[in-house]
Amino acid sequence: GIPFTWNSLSSTQQLLMRINPITNSRDAEATGQNRVLYVRGQSSFENFRERKSPLGDIINSTPTYVNQPSELYTDLSYITFRENLLNRRPALYVGANDGMLHGFDAETGQELFAYIPSTLIKKLPLLSATNYAHEYFVDGQLATRDVYINGQWRTYLVGGLRAGGQTFFALDITNPSNYQESNNNAKALVKWEFTDRDDPDLGYTFSTPVITQMNNGKWVAIFGNGYNNTENDDDDIDDEIRTISATGNAVLYIIDLATGELLHKLDTQVGTFQGMANGLASPAAIDANQDGKVDWIYAGDLLGNLWKFDVTSENKEQWSIAGDGPLFQAKHNDQHQPITVRPDVSLHPSLQGFILYFGTGRYFANNDNDSKGQTTQSFYAIWDNIYSNRTTITQDSLLQQNVLQEVSTVITTDNGENISYDFRITSEHPISWYLGAAQAPPANVHLGWFIHLTTPDGTNRGERQVTYPKLRNGRIVFTTLIPTEVSCEAGGEGWLMELDAFSGARLESPAIDINEDGKFNINDTLTIDEISTVISGYKLQGVPSSPAFLNDIDNNSEIKAINLSSGVTETFQESADPFLPGRQSWREIR
C-alpha cells in the first residue's frame, strides 16, 4: 500500500499513467501527473473529460456496512476487542467503476479513503479519455469479518474486481479513524493482492469471497477462480510474463488471510468446453459441527456442475473434492445449465445433511442478452445426504414443480388506488423426503426438487437466475432475469419468486401484502377457478437485484427491498415467521 500520488508511484506505474488512452502513445510527464490528480477527483483537471461527479457508477458491488464488532465469539480477548471498539466510526464500503474501493462515513457520507488495486493502474488513463466508453473497475462483491491475525483481533475486508480484472485484495479496516493518507497508513491498510500472476488459473474475479477459519486454525479467504482465465491480458510494460491458464479449469482457492499466500488449491480438472473456459462461482462454506470452523464447501461452475469440497481435516493436504465427481449436474435436454450464483444452504428436515438452493443461468458473456435460442434454465434444491453413498444426484430423483399460470390483474389498494400487476401461479406437488433413521435414503424418495424458468406453455424467453437466493421463514426467495435486446429499456425485466423451501410448491398462505392494507389474508390471493390461490411470483420491470430484508418489529412483518436497473427500488411488506424467537439463552458474568 502506497499513497496514490505521482511521487509515490513506481517508474512503471508512472509510465502507465502517461499512456494516452486515445492514441496509445506516451504523453509528457506533466500530463501523467495531471492525470493522477484527475483520477483523484480534482475538478481543476476536467479538461481531460468533463464529469458530473468524480464518483464512478456503482453496479454490482453491494455497499457493505461495518459498525462495532458484532461476532458471537466468546473468547475473552475478542470481548476486550469489541469493548474497545464500541464507539468505532460506522463506515460504508463499496466498489465503483472509477477504479476505487471507497470507504464512507456511514452517518455523514464523508469519504474516509479510496483504494486502487495495483492491477488497475494500467486502466486508469481510460477514465480521462474524451471518448470514454464504460469500463468495469472495482465491481465485485465484498466480504468483511472480525478475525484473529498474528496474535490480535482485526476487522478484514476482502473483495474482487468482477469484470474489472483478475485480482482479489484484502484490507485491514479495523480503525476507520486512521485512514489519513500517508505511507504508514497505506501499508497498514492494504494487506495483500492475489492476482493471475500468483496463479494463472485465476480468471475475472466474479466470485464473492468467504472469510472463515479452517480446521487447522488458519483464517482464510475462499473464492472460486471466476471466468475467462484463458484470456491473454498482458500489458505492454511487462510482456514477458504470461498469465494464461493452460486448461480453463474450474478451481477453488483457499488463501492465507494473514499473508495472501495460496494455502491450498482444489482443481476440479473440468475445463474448457466448446471453446469457452470453465470457471467456479461463489462458494458456500458450511460449519457442520458448529465449532466455528468450515467443514464443507459447495460451489457451481459454468458447465452446471455443483461441487462439494471436503475440508474437514486439520491437514490441508487431505482437503479434496468429495466423491468421484460433482454432486449434481444441472442440464436441460442434455444442454449444460451454468451455475453462476452461490448456493444458499439449510439443514435437511431429517437432520441428515443439507439442502442446497441455487438457480442456473449466465449474464456476462457475448450473446447472453439474447432472448431467443437460450438453453432453458431452472431453479434447484438438492439434498446432500451425509449417509448416502451416491456420488452424483440426477434430475430423475427430483420432484418437478411447474409454472401453471401468469395472470395480469388490477388490484385495488387499501387507499383506493388501482394498480395493474402480473403474477405467477406455480404447482403444489407434495414431496416425498426420507425422514427416517440415519442411513442412506431408499430409492423411491425425492432427493430434492426443481422448477424450469419458462412460461406456463413451456416457452423459453431467456429467463435465468443470476442473483443470490435467500432462505427466509421457510421460504426460498429469489429473483430471475429476462433480458431485452432493445437498448434504453433498463436491460430487461424479471420475476420475484417465493416458494416453499421444503418442497418447491407454492406457499400455503400469502407472503406479500398485495393490496397494501397491512394484513396478510385472503385479500392477498387471486381467485383461480373460484379458488383463492396464493401467488408464487411477482413481475418486476427492470433487471432485479437479490432481495434485502429489513425487520418491521412493530407490525410483526418485514420489508423486502429489490433494486431494479430502471432506477427504482421496489419494496414489499412481507409476512414474517409467526414464531419470532425471543431470548434463547443467557449467561452470568461475574
Side-chain angles (χ1 to χ4, degrees):
I2 59 172
F4 183 62
T5 59
W6 182 259
N7 291 332
S8 295
L9 297 178
S10 68
S11 58
T12 298
Q13 291 170 333
Q14 289 178 349
L15 288 174
L16 290 171
M17 291 303 297
R18 288 172 56 188
I19 298 298
N20 187 297
I22 298 177
T23 65
N24 206 34
S25 59
R26 189 169 297 164
D27 289 332
E29 181 173 316
T31 303
Q33 293 177 359
N34 290 342
R35 188 172 283 120
V36 168
L37 295 174
Y38 173 83
V39 172
R40 286 176 61 98
Q42 292 195 17
S43 59
S44 56
F45 295 96
E46 296 299 305
N47 57 307
F48 281 112
R49 175 177 63 91
E50 185 177 357
R51 301 173 292 192
K52 295 181 179 179
S53 167
L55 180 64
D57 57 277
I58 297 167
I59 300 179
N60 292 297
S61 182
T62 302
T64 300
Y65 177 78
V66 178
N67 197 353
Q68 63 191 37
S70 58
E71 302 284 357
L72 300 179
Y73 310 136
T74 57
D75 187 283
L76 290 177
S77 62
Y78 181 75
I79 294 173
T80 301
F81 169 75
R82 184 173 58 196
E83 289 175 348
N84 291 338
L85 293 176
L86 286 178
N87 296 317
R88 178 163 64 180
R89 194 174 194 174
L92 197 67
Y93 302 92
V94 65
N97 292 306
D98 52 21
M100 305 178 188
L101 173 85
H102 296 274
F104 299 102
D105 186 304
E107 295 179 347
T108 68
Q110 174 192 352
E111 186 173 36
L112 301 175
F113 82 99
Y115 156 71
I116 300 173
S118 64
T119 52
L120 292 180
I121 294 287
K122 63 184 177 183
K123 291 180 64 175
L124 292 181
L126 296 173
L127 295 166
S128 66
T130 53
N131 64 347
Y132 174 71
H134 185 270
E135 289 277 341
Y136 290 102
F137 286 87
V138 186
D139 198 46
Q141 298 279 353
L142 308 176
T144 62
R145 191 166 185 184
D146 297 332
V147 296
Y148 194 68
I149 297 289
N150 296 326
Q152 58 181 327
W153 287 99
R154 310 295 296 175
T155 303
Y156 267 46
L157 177 150
V158 178
L161 308 184
R162 204 173 186 269
Q166 294 167 269
T167 299
F168 280 100
F169 55 84
L171 306 180
D172 184 334
I173 58 169
T174 306
N175 297 308
S177 297
N178 294 339
Y179 288 160
Q180 296 86 359
E181 188 175 34
S182 71
N183 279 307
N184 288 337
N185 283 336
K187 290 177 181 178
L189 178 68
V190 181
K191 307 313 295 183
W192 49 261
E193 294 177 352
F194 184 84
T195 76
D196 57 337
R197 294 192 174 185
D198 295 298
D199 189 279
D201 284 328
L202 183 69
Y204 282 79
T205 49
F206 277 64
S207 177
T208 301
V210 174
I211 302 174
T212 189
Q213 190 177 24
M214 306 301 289
N215 280 294
N216 61 4
K218 285 277 189 182
W219 283 94
V220 299
I222 303 173
F223 42 80
N225 66 321
Y227 310 124
N228 290 14
N229 60 8
T230 56
E231 179 182 289
N232 186 349
D233 62 332
D234 291 322
D235 55 59
D236 296 331
I237 300 297
D238 194 3
D239 58 6
E240 294 301 316
I241 297 178
R242 289 291 177 260
T243 58
I244 306 170
S245 171
T247 63
N249 285 355
V251 170
L252 182 77
Y253 291 108
I254 302 176
I255 305 298
D256 189 320
L257 193 61
T259 65
E261 296 178 356
L262 179 58
L263 189 63
H264 204 65
K265 174 181 175 181
L266 293 166
D267 191 336
T268 67
Q269 302 295 319
V270 177
T272 300
F273 179 77
Q274 295 181 348
M276 184 172 183
N278 197 6
L280 202 69
S282 301
I286 305 303
D287 174 15
N289 58 5
Q290 313 243 333
D291 66 350
K293 299 173 183 177
V294 63
D295 299 303
W296 307 99
I297 302 169
Y298 299 91
D301 69 19
L302 287 179
L303 297 180
N305 298 306
L306 180 67
W307 298 94
K308 178 182 179 181
F309 302 92
D310 182 350
V311 291
T312 54
S313 174
E314 295 181 5
N315 181 357
K316 69 175 184 178
E317 301 305 323
Q318 295 183 11
W319 299 343
S320 63
I321 295 172
D324 300 327
L327 179 67
F328 178 76
Q329 290 183 304
K331 287 186 176 183
H332 182 264
N333 291 339
D334 209 34
Q335 296 292 312
H336 296 281
Q337 297 174 304
I339 303 170
T340 58
V341 299
R342 177 183 63 210
D344 208 344
V345 186
S346 73
L347 275 173
H348 188 268
S350 68
L351 304 183
Q352 300 177 44
F354 304 97
I355 303 179
L356 302 138
Y357 300 89
F358 60 93
T360 66
R362 189 184 67 193
Y363 195 56
F364 57 80
N366 292 336
N367 303 319
D368 278 356
N369 63 333
D370 293 346
S371 59
K372 298 179 181 179
Q374 299 279 1
T375 299
T376 294
Q377 305 300 333
S378 310
F379 191 89
Y380 293 95
I382 303 299
W383 179 19
D384 177 22
N385 182 286
I386 58 177
Y387 295 100
S388 175
N389 57 6
R390 303 177 196 226
T391 56
T392 301
I393 298 169
T394 64
Q395 195 174 98
D396 292 341
S397 60
L398 309 180
L399 169 69
Q400 181 174 358
Q401 303 286 2
N402 307 96
V403 176
L404 299 179
Q405 295 187 52
E406 292 180 357
V407 181
S408 296
T409 188
V410 174
I411 300 292
T412 301
T413 65
D414 194 48
N415 60 11
E417 184 180 5
N418 293 325
I419 302 178
S420 177
Y421 293 103
D422 290 325
F423 297 116
R424 257 183 181 167
I425 307 297
T426 63
S427 59
E428 51 181 351
H429 305 311
I431 195 166
S432 176
W433 290 118
Y434 173 69
L435 302 176
Q439 63 179 38
N444 62 343
V445 301
H446 293 121
L447 299 181
W449 56 263
F450 72 98
I451 185 169
H452 290 318
L453 303 177
T454 63
T455 62
D457 63 3
T459 301
N460 173 16
R461 297 181 57 209
E463 186 173 1
R464 76 244 9 223
Q465 207 274 308
V466 292
T467 58
Y468 294 146
K470 295 187 177 179
L471 282 163
R472 198 78 176 178
N473 303 324
R475 310 163 193 149
I476 185 68
V477 183
F478 59 93
T479 58
T480 70
L481 160 65
I482 304 172
T484 178
E485 299 170 43
V486 180
S487 60
C488 302
E489 285 192 2
E493 58 190 15
W495 290 88
L496 165 65
M497 300 292 295
E498 300 207 23
L499 303 173
D500 184 286
F502 184 76
S503 65
R506 69 172 179 260
L507 301 174
E508 294 182 356
S509 58
I512 298 176
D513 179 16
I514 295 175
N515 66 349
E516 301 178 6
D517 65 353
K519 302 174 184 178
F520 304 92
N521 53 31
I522 195 172
N523 295 324
D524 298 306
T525 64
L526 298 182
T527 301
I528 306 293
D529 296 330
E530 300 183 352
I531 298 174
S532 295
T533 306
V534 176
I535 67 167
S536 303
Y538 178 100
K539 196 169 190 179
L540 302 164
Q541 299 302 319
V543 177
S545 69
S546 184
F549 296 88
L550 300 171
N551 288 327
D552 185 355
I553 302 297
D554 293 338
N555 295 306
N556 190 29
S557 63
E558 53 192 18
I559 305 296
K560 181 161 63 268
I562 298 173
N563 294 325
L564 302 176
S565 59
S566 58
V568 173
T569 297
E570 286 267 18
T571 59
F572 304 86
Q573 193 81 14
E574 181 94 356
S575 63
D577 189 336
F579 303 104
L580 288 172
R583 186 177 301 278
Q584 299 295 298
S585 64
W586 61 275
R587 62 176 176 161
E588 182 178 1
I589 301 176
R590 298 189 179 184

